[in-house]
Amino acid sequence: MAVPEMSVTPYWELTFDADGDVDTGQRDRLLAGVGERGVADLVVFAHGWNSDRSGATGLYSRFFEPFPALAPNARLGYVGVLWPSMRFSDEPIPDFKPVPALVPGRPALDKNTRHALSEVFPGRAVVVEQLARLLEQRPDEGGSLEEFGRLVRLLVEVEPEGAQNAFTADTVAAGVPEGTPGMLCGDTATVCADFAAALAEVGTSGVPTGAAVTPPQAWDGAHELLRQATYFAMKRRAGTVGERGLGRLLGQLARTSPDVRVHLVGHSFGARLVSFALRGLPEGVRSVKSVTLLQAAFSHYAFAARLPHDDRASGVLNGQQKRIDGPLVCCHSTHDSALGTIYPLASRMAGDARTVLGLSVNSLLGRKWGALGYGGVQAVKGTRSFKLADALKVRLPATGCVNIDASAVVRRGGAPSGAHSDICHRELARVVLAAGRIA
């Protein structure tokens, strides 16, 4: 697919590898370019699970398009962050046609998804092909699901001493980060059955009462286990790239262009990336003037000093919002079924083997493991909350956490996660400008 033409200028790209190392040529062009072009406000956007440069650049072009008209007198510059993430080809996102399942009703791995998995997990092409074969054949023997689980773990594991191991947690209890989610260490058949039931709940939410519904099978959830394990790996990688990569680079930019005001924007796991970049800022750097999180796919307690269900624990980003010389704005939507139903199930802690159905942010599991992009920032003192229409009429708080319910625009359908990627709206562009006090 050709790379879309960017809708705004000046625009720079920053490409990071899985360990947070940046393309030095791109870095140097950005550091020199912001001064040469007279940029006053630099908007830096990090994508979620786009599989290639074309998908990410297309997202950036669509999202940035309204900015020049909304702020005609601002001296804006734009940055698109590219990092080794991916999406499954059947993931519904606006303006991209999903690839249908090889067998209707039986999710499998098409060629594009197999290629993407091999690209983001180098050296594991054989594992990917074995997983694809099991998903297609769905063997009956009892050990097949356990073998599938073993292969999933093998696919997403990292070196024990590797940098990425330090970036898996969303919460910390008594100085000890949270463990690996239950989906990667529990009984595979049980986990797959849980996913299958949750997917069936999402898929039948609009089915008339009394209509015939096929009971979910454990293999129906195996594809979702692989998807969510991949997302867990991307979540871990997003933290690495944010703190070790983008955060350090922003420190360099603050030295070379101290008057440039930086505005971070992140979608899904890209929201995690820009949030962890705050931890990577060198001491004393105050160049980040706003952070806007769009459908953020990590814990709604990540910024909390204490967790409501455990006063010995805190969010892994506790207090990091204070590194911003402005507000942290979290846009969320109740239409995001991926974050409202599947995310809490995938985020179960190791050892929690309960089967949980009827999940929602109002359930025990939803409250404990809910996502920022579904219900906003939780348990942070002083957080202000607005409906989107109201937020666009008032002056947003100058500091602290701000929740904006964007359900009015982030609502496009498509099971299970069409609304999750429905973020290219003029109203959300206005939120970014308002958060950064960009005239």
Side-chain angles (χ1 to χ4, degrees):
M1 183 184 296
V3 176
E5 183 177 348
M6 186 49 57
S7 59
V8 293
T9 188
Y11 170 78
W12 295 272
E13 288 183 349
L14 290 174
T15 302
F16 295 90
D17 67 15
D19 292 322
D21 294 324
V22 69
D23 181 301
T24 55
Q26 293 179 336
R27 176 201 63 196
D28 294 344
R29 286 190 289 275
L30 171 67
L31 295 179
V34 291
E36 294 170 356
R37 301 295 293 268
V39 172
D41 290 278
L42 188 68
V43 184
V44 181
F45 197 154
H47 66 77
W49 48 70
N50 293 281
S51 57
D52 55 25
R53 182 188 171 205
S54 174
T57 304
L59 170 66
Y60 299 150
S61 182
R62 295 192 303 276
F63 189 82
F64 287 147
E65 185 175 9
F67 279 65
L70 290 172
N73 298 318
R75 291 181 287 133
L76 286 167
Y78 307 86
V79 174
V81 173
L82 303 176
W83 59 287
S85 182
M86 67 162 286
R87 72 174 181 90
F88 277 56
S89 295
D90 63 347
E91 189 79 42
I93 61 175
D95 304 325
F96 284 84
K97 184 177 180 180
V99 177
L102 298 180
V103 180
R106 290 176 56 166
L109 296 184
D110 63 276
K111 183 176 69 173
N112 292 339
T113 301
R114 295 198 304 272
H115 175 74
L117 285 167
S118 298
E119 287 286 312
V120 297
F121 299 111
R124 293 186 171 91
V126 173
V127 175
V128 171
E129 292 304 318
Q130 290 174 314
L131 287 165
R133 187 160 49 250
L134 284 171
L135 278 175
E136 184 175 357
Q137 296 175 351
R138 299 165 67 114
D140 292 333
E141 54 266 27
S144 297
L145 277 172
E146 289 305 317
E147 173 64 7
F148 186 85
R150 185 189 72 81
L151 291 170
V152 169
R153 289 188 290 272
L154 181 61
L155 178 70
V156 302
E157 69 181 0
V158 296
E159 294 293 330
E161 302 302 322
Q164 294 188 44
N165 276 303
F167 298 97
T168 61
D170 280 355
T171 58
V172 179
V176 180
E178 65 189 21
T180 302
M183 65 180 176
L184 293 181
C185 59
D187 174 71
T188 302
T190 300
V191 171
C192 288
D194 284 356
F195 275 130
L199 287 170
E201 179 181 318
V202 174
T204 60
S205 59
V207 175
T209 303
V213 177
T214 303
Q217 303 297 317
W219 274 109
D220 297 333
H223 182 269
E224 190 63 26
L225 168 61
L226 174 59
R227 188 201 305 270
Q228 293 295 338
T230 302
Y231 292 168
F232 171 73
M234 296 305 102
K235 163 186 166 181
R236 175 179 60 200
R237 188 173 289 179
T240 307
V241 174
E243 183 167 334
R244 292 170 57 91
L246 182 59
R248 292 177 180 177
L249 187 145
L250 293 176
Q252 293 175 297
L253 178 63
R255 289 196 300 271
T256 59
S257 300
D259 295 329
V260 171
R261 306 171 74 249
V262 176
H263 310 277
L264 301 180
V265 183
H267 169 237
S268 189
F269 286 138
R272 194 172 202 270
L273 190 157
V274 299
S275 297
F276 270 75
L278 300 172
R279 286 206 323 190
L281 289 175
E283 190 67 31
V285 170
R286 301 290 292 175
S287 58
V288 176
K289 303 300 179 181
S290 67
V291 175
T292 304
L293 310 181
L294 305 173
Q295 301 312 114
F298 62 108
S299 173
H300 56 199
Y301 294 138
F303 294 94
R306 291 289 181 270
L307 307 189
H309 55 275
D310 185 354
D311 60 11
R312 299 166 301 171
S314 64
V316 73
L317 296 174
N318 169 27
Q320 291 301 315
Q321 67 273 19
K322 297 176 184 177
R323 302 296 306 275
I324 309 168
D325 191 22
L328 181 141
V329 176
C330 178
C331 294
H332 57 94
S333 171
T334 55
H335 299 295
D336 193 336
S337 58
L339 296 183
T341 299
I342 302 300
Y343 177 89
L345 180 58
S347 298
R348 289 184 304 177
M349 299 299 287
D352 182 1
R354 294 171 298 169
T355 299
V356 183
L357 304 180
L359 293 174
S360 71
V361 79
N362 294 318
S363 70
L364 173 62
L365 189 62
R367 290 197 303 273
K368 189 173 181 181
W369 306 119
L372 283 159
Y374 188 79
V377 174
Q378 303 293 319
V380 176
K381 187 176 181 180
T383 297
R384 298 281 302 278
S385 297
F386 299 89
K387 294 287 187 180
L388 178 60
D390 296 329
L392 297 177
K393 296 176 183 176
V394 301
R395 190 174 179 87
L396 293 179
T399 59
C401 294
V402 181
N403 286 330
I404 295 180
D405 184 348
S407 301
V409 296
V410 180
R411 59 184 302 119
R412 185 176 293 189
S417 57
H420 181 66
S421 296
D422 186 19
I423 61 168
C424 293
H425 296 280
R426 185 181 181 89
E427 293 88 343
L428 298 185
R430 290 177 60 193
V431 166
V432 174
L433 293 169
R437 305 290 173 93
I438 301 173

